[in-house]
Amino acid sequence: MKVYIFILMGIILSFLESSLLSYIPAEFLKPDVTIPMIVYTTFFLNTGAGLIVSVIMGVIQEILSASPDGSMIFLKVLIFLLTLFFKNKLFIDSKYSFSYVCAGAVVCESLIYAFLSWIAKGESRHIENILFFMLPNAVFTGFLAIFIFSFVGFLNMKFFSKD
């Protein structure tokens, strides 16, 4: 039940990110809300749920973006695999450490996306934009991850506690 609610929340956030945030004129205020969902699901729920969340969010972003074909699904699954690799090596004990992990995942995703776009298109025309907005997006995603972690903690205490 918890996994389904979390997947539904991720789908809603993905649609909001892809549709509503395109109207904000400031490029650095566009966080990647799917990263905190993938990281939280992989770290705190089971790995199957993390894979499902990453594929679903990758498909949604693939449909709503103008990126090279298959790149968003590949990136989300790759972020899932990186998170799965670091699951036993990192200890997330607070919303701030969760925020750091999410910001690092955004940096990794941006670097990999820049490399994929260079390989797929054979041009480096937009790579400087990706690299320029990488750190502000990572910081803003990390800031948003604090609130997502707190909200999910509230949902866990309110609805999913084993009292």
Side-chain angles (χ1 to χ4, degrees):
M1 180 69 177
K2 183 178 184 180
V3 174
Y4 298 122
I5 291 174
F6 206 76
I7 290 172
L8 180 65
M9 189 168 77
I11 290 171
I12 291 169
L13 285 175
S14 293
F15 275 117
L16 289 175
E17 174 191 356
S18 298
S19 59
L20 294 180
L21 291 180
S22 63
Y23 294 110
I24 296 176
E27 284 292 322
F28 61 89
L29 292 176
K30 295 182 180 178
D32 190 353
V33 296
T34 60
I35 294 293
M37 305 303 282
I38 293 170
V39 170
Y40 187 89
T41 306
T42 305
F43 264 91
F44 299 109
L45 300 176
N46 57 21
T47 57
L51 181 62
I52 290 170
V53 167
S54 63
V55 168
I56 288 174
M57 293 191 188
V59 167
I60 290 171
Q61 285 189 343
E62 186 73 36
I63 291 170
L64 298 174
S65 72
S67 62
D69 293 336
S71 64
M72 296 310 284
I73 298 170
F74 178 74
L75 283 173
K76 298 308 174 190
V77 171
L78 191 61
I79 291 298
F80 161 73
L81 291 174
L82 287 171
T83 306
L84 189 61
F85 176 74
F86 285 113
K87 183 177 181 178
N88 295 326
K89 294 172 181 32
L90 295 175
F91 182 67
I92 297 179
D93 60 341
S94 69
K95 56 187 171 186
Y96 302 111
S97 58
F98 178 73
S99 171
Y100 297 143
V101 170
C102 291
V106 169
V107 169
C108 288
E109 182 185 39
S110 297
L111 291 174
I112 295 168
Y113 182 77
F115 179 71
L116 283 177
S117 122
W118 178 65
I119 293 290
K121 294 180 181 177
E123 60 186 29
S124 61
R125 177 172 62 172
H126 297 292
I127 290 179
E128 63 271 359
N129 287 338
I130 295 169
L131 297 177
F132 182 75
F133 292 114
M134 176 179 60
L135 288 178
N137 286 339
V139 169
F140 197 61
T141 300
F143 181 70
L144 187 66
I146 293 172
F147 294 107
I148 291 174
F149 189 82
S150 299
F151 180 69
V152 171
F154 167 75
L155 289 178
N156 283 334
M157 293 297 292
K158 185 76 172 173
F159 299 109
F160 300 116
S161 64
K162 303 277 186 194
D163 289 340

